[in-house]
Amino acid sequence: ISPKEADLVDPQERLFLETVWDLLEGVGYTREKLRERHRGQVAVYVGAMYQQYHALRSDPVSESIVSLSAFSGIANRASYFFDFQGPSVAIDTMCSSSLVAIQMACESLRNGSASLAIAGAVNLSIHPHKYAGLTAAKLMGSHPESRSFADGDGYLPAEGVGAVLLKPLANALRDGDQVLAVIKAVTTNHSGQSGGFGVPNPQAQAAAVEDCLRRAGVDPRSIGYVEAAANGSPLGDAIELKALSNAFGKHVTELGSIPIGAVKSNFGHAEAASGMAQLSKVVLQMRHRRLAPTLKAARLNPNIAFGETPFRLQDEPGEWPETAPTGSGESSAQPRRALISSIGAGGSTGHMIVEE
């Protein structure tokens, strides 16, 4: 890549290419090894939602070239560089883009269009128009205490980039890969009509959670942790908790029995890449068998009453014990399982069940 070309490439494209390199280097997969073992049938799915590099000022020729760039370049640049010949797709479902990318990657493995898949997302804040626009639309929090499940008035944007390598479990075990976690199910849908274009639909969200649990084939009582989408919006956080309560309440009778938290409380809402942050947090918690705290929620959202739900806010570090469904009659412990919830502002949602 020449210096001139590099200058014209969207920073999101550059960062994702570096991240894929790091990912493959970390697991010891060279391009030669990938060609030998997978014959180029490697898929790339990447989520993104902002094209603000277009807004930066430069000379007329450079501005014109940059204006032609598209999200597809983020995926295609990686596929070209590594000589991947599987599907190469960029996805924009706003804040649920990461989980949709993972869902599409899993489908490509199931249908045989790829034998290995990279799923990820990238999200940058590189122009002040973003902050001005979010403020004008009354979406951005007005103070630093506006965090997940707290008494806030909007979300705090964050930057992020991440990627995971996906392979059918049997193949990963055969190849001697280090398996960080197992995706039991990942589902996506749209919530349809609601009280407004930007207002979540609790009934549709609950149905989506139930569908994910059903596809995973796991007892809802075996879910030991929920990583919520909660971004600090007073309405959105309350609706999400109501939807989760409706889905789990049919099976879990003990109030406050399931820990719930949100990584967005730690460093903000990484928007298109937020699902990668959520998955990273869940996998790290499984590795350490510890639950990390949700921060700055001393003053709770007044629309939320955890005491009336199956959930309790994980606001301090704690152990993550192995889980056995209450009343199941099983004597053996169950693998640690988590539900990840991701909600896009336009109504596209994603849910994923991960198992250690």
Side-chain angles (χ1 to χ4, degrees):
I1 301 175
S2 70
K4 179 61 177 176
E5 183 182 3
D7 188 50
L8 297 173
V9 170
D10 189 314
Q12 297 179 120
E13 198 171 312
R14 304 178 218 167
L15 280 171
F16 190 73
L17 177 61
E18 294 177 6
T19 299
V20 174
W21 175 281
D22 286 341
L23 174 67
L24 295 174
E25 186 176 59
V27 297
Y29 276 13
T30 62
R31 279 177 281 191
E32 292 74 20
K33 187 175 181 179
L34 288 169
R35 277 195 293 269
E36 176 186 332
R37 182 171 292 175
H38 297 282
R39 301 182 303 281
Q41 293 306 300
V42 181
V44 177
Y45 293 90
V46 56
M49 61 182 278
Y50 287 110
Q51 289 185 312
Q52 294 177 323
Y53 205 45
H54 295 180
L56 296 175
R57 304 299 299 172
S58 183
D59 63 89
V61 174
S62 295
E63 285 183 17
S64 299
I65 295 174
V66 169
S67 73
L68 301 175
S69 66
F71 289 140
S72 60
I74 304 174
N76 292 340
R77 177 75 65 175
S79 296
Y80 172 80
F81 183 85
F82 291 101
D83 194 24
F84 297 154
Q85 295 171 24
S88 186
V89 182
I91 295 140
D92 176 13
T93 59
M94 300 183 78
C95 305
S96 58
S97 298
S98 293
L99 260 62
V100 174
I102 292 173
Q103 190 266 345
M104 293 181 71
C106 289
E107 286 301 318
S108 74
L109 295 175
R110 285 197 189 96
N111 64 32
S113 60
S115 60
L116 188 70
I118 292 167
V122 58
N123 190 74
L124 296 180
S125 303
I126 59 175
H127 198 282
H129 282 172
K130 174 177 176 177
Y131 295 95
L134 289 173
T135 301
K138 302 188 188 311
L139 295 174
M140 192 160 76
S142 63
H143 56 87
E145 306 301 309
S146 187
R147 307 288 179 114
S148 306
F149 297 121
D151 189 9
D153 57 0
Y155 77 86
L156 306 178
E159 296 180 306
V161 57
V164 290
L165 196 62
L166 304 176
K167 185 188 287 190
L169 178 60
N171 295 355
L173 296 174
R174 177 200 66 198
D175 296 339
D177 294 318
Q178 180 187 12
V179 178
L180 300 179
V182 177
I183 296 172
K184 298 293 289 182
V186 55
T187 59
T188 61
N189 77 338
H190 192 278
S191 61
Q193 291 189 345
S194 62
F197 180 67
V199 179
N201 183 333
Q203 289 78 26
Q205 280 187 30
V209 172
E210 291 173 6
D211 181 49
C212 190
L213 290 164
R214 184 168 54 252
R215 288 173 184 265
V218 301
D219 190 321
R221 295 169 297 177
S222 73
I223 301 296
Y225 174 75
V226 171
E227 173 63 28
N231 64 16
S233 161
L235 179 61
D237 288 10
I239 289 178
E240 181 185 8
L241 186 64
K242 177 178 175 58
L244 289 167
S245 298
N246 289 343
F248 278 85
K250 300 175 182 178
H251 312 277
V252 181
T253 57
E254 185 180 350
L255 298 179
S257 59
I258 304 174
I260 189 171
V263 71
K264 294 181 181 71
S265 74
N266 296 77
F267 64 86
H269 184 3
E271 298 165 309
S274 61
M276 300 310 301
Q278 292 176 285
L279 177 58
S280 299
K281 176 186 173 183
V282 166
V283 170
L284 285 168
Q285 289 184 143
M286 286 179 171
R287 178 186 297 176
H288 295 284
R289 300 179 179 180
R290 298 273 295 172
L291 296 174
T294 294
L295 304 181
K296 295 185 179 291
R299 291 180 54 190
L300 281 178
N301 181 337
N303 301 312
I304 288 176
F306 279 106
E308 301 172 4
T309 76
F311 305 99
R312 67 176 187 274
L313 183 63
Q314 188 68 36
D315 55 2
E316 58 184 24
E319 297 295 325
W320 187 350
E322 290 177 307
T323 306
T326 304
S328 65
E330 298 181 20
S331 58
S332 60
Q334 298 289 304
R336 291 171 182 84
R337 293 179 182 137
L339 171 75
I340 299 173
S341 177
S342 186
I343 300 169
S348 291
T349 66
H351 295 89
M352 182 162 60
I353 293 174
V354 182
E355 181 178 284
E356 67 175 342

